[in-house]
Amino acid sequence: MKKIILATAALALTGTMAFAEGKTIRMGTEGAYPPYNYLNDDGKIDGFEIELGNELCKRAELKCEWVTNEWDSIIPNLVSSNYDTIMAGMSITDERDEVIDFTQDYFPPTASAYVAASEGADLESGVVAAQTSTIQAGHIAASGAQLVEFATPEETVAAVRKGEADAVFADKDYLAPLVEASGGELMFVGPDVPLGGGIGMGLRESDAELKTKFDAAITAMKADGTLNTMLKKWFGDETATY
């Protein structure tokens, strides 16, 4: 146990020293969750969080570069100092806040929703797909439905298309363009479900100075309206704003 604690402390100190020495801040994201973050046709990282993160770095006078990481190991790799922040559509929850720290939210709390291939999908006891290690997966696990987890959001939707799941449960903002583009193959079913405390940037607990810088930049973007403009650009005029 002591070895684990000492190793964790050493990693935390490494992250703090790297920032203090003015080295490049590495921004971790998934790259597979449009429109929050994704790889565009040129194979480059793109999306709402990439545009926002670049602007936050500019305002904080930091040099930043982007790193992609699979979702299921995105928090452990932050703690292990493989990058310095997480911007990956990550909802602020009490459970995650016990492991890492968060900035204030840069995306207001929004609804999660169910999508199915038919209106009669069984949401109470049927099979519901969700991405692993998400608040949606936790909600389904406690709901009485049969949870089936997948590593990527694309796989959760594919499970519905293939008939392997009765429905998928995910962020409504992620599902909405997929439903619209499906030509009626997919549809929203059941009520929206509010979960989480908004989306924030994850950081190591030891990086208080870095958190302060990003919090100040987020506050400034909220105050001058540029964050709301960015939210509407990526999510439409009906999206929640500050």
Side-chain angles (χ1 to χ4, degrees):
M1 178 60 72
K2 288 183 179 179
K3 289 182 180 179
I4 294 174
I5 293 173
L6 288 171
T8 302
L11 288 170
L13 286 171
T14 299
T16 303
M17 288 174 64
F19 172 63
E21 293 168 358
K23 294 183 179 179
T24 298
I25 301 302
R26 306 186 79 203
M27 310 280 279
T29 193
E30 183 182 14
Y33 203 59
Y36 293 91
N37 58 82
Y38 60 92
L39 298 180
N40 61 26
D41 292 339
D42 295 325
K44 296 180 179 179
I45 194 71
D46 203 347
F48 161 68
E49 287 174 313
I50 311 309
E51 183 178 357
L52 173 60
N54 288 338
E55 177 63 20
L56 292 175
C57 287
K58 179 181 176 181
R59 292 182 181 226
E61 299 182 341
L62 296 169
K63 181 180 179 181
C64 297
E65 66 178 26
W66 290 93
V67 179
T68 57
N69 193 98
E70 293 181 355
W71 175 261
D72 59 357
S73 62
I74 203 164
I75 289 180
N77 277 315
L78 171 69
V79 175
S80 297
S81 298
N82 289 331
Y83 34 80
D84 305 294
T85 74
I86 294 173
M87 288 190 74
M90 182 172 283
S91 296
I92 300 168
T93 67
D94 291 339
E95 293 79 8
R96 289 171 179 154
D97 200 33
E98 292 178 359
V99 181
I100 61 174
D101 206 351
F102 284 96
T103 63
Q104 64 179 290
D105 62 303
Y106 56 76
F107 198 111
T110 56
S112 296
Y114 293 92
V115 161
S118 66
E119 294 182 354
D122 183 0
L123 305 181
E124 295 184 359
S125 59
V127 177
V128 179
Q131 187 177 13
T132 188
S133 301
T134 61
I135 56 175
Q136 289 84 12
H139 178 80
I140 297 303
S143 73
Q146 302 174 55
L147 170 66
V148 56
E149 296 181 85
F150 293 92
T152 68
E154 291 91 344
E155 290 174 298
T156 64
V157 178
V160 175
R161 295 183 187 273
K162 296 175 182 177
E164 298 172 353
D166 297 298
V168 54
F169 186 58
D171 287 317
K172 190 170 185 178
D173 291 313
Y174 169 73
L175 293 171
L178 300 178
V179 171
E180 184 177 356
S182 73
E185 179 187 4
L186 300 174
M187 62 194 72
F188 286 108
V189 293
D192 291 349
V193 182
L195 295 174
I199 294 172
M201 181 186 294
L203 305 100
R204 288 182 291 274
E205 295 278 1
S206 58
D207 284 337
E209 183 183 354
L210 189 57
K211 175 185 174 181
T212 298
K213 283 182 173 289
F214 279 123
D215 265 332
I218 295 170
T219 295
M221 289 189 69
K222 288 179 178 178
D224 66 20
T226 53
L227 181 53
N228 284 345
T229 298
M230 204 174 288
L231 286 166
K232 290 181 179 180
K233 169 188 173 180
W234 286 98
F235 298 94
D237 291 336
E238 300 304 315
T239 192
T241 55
Y242 294 99

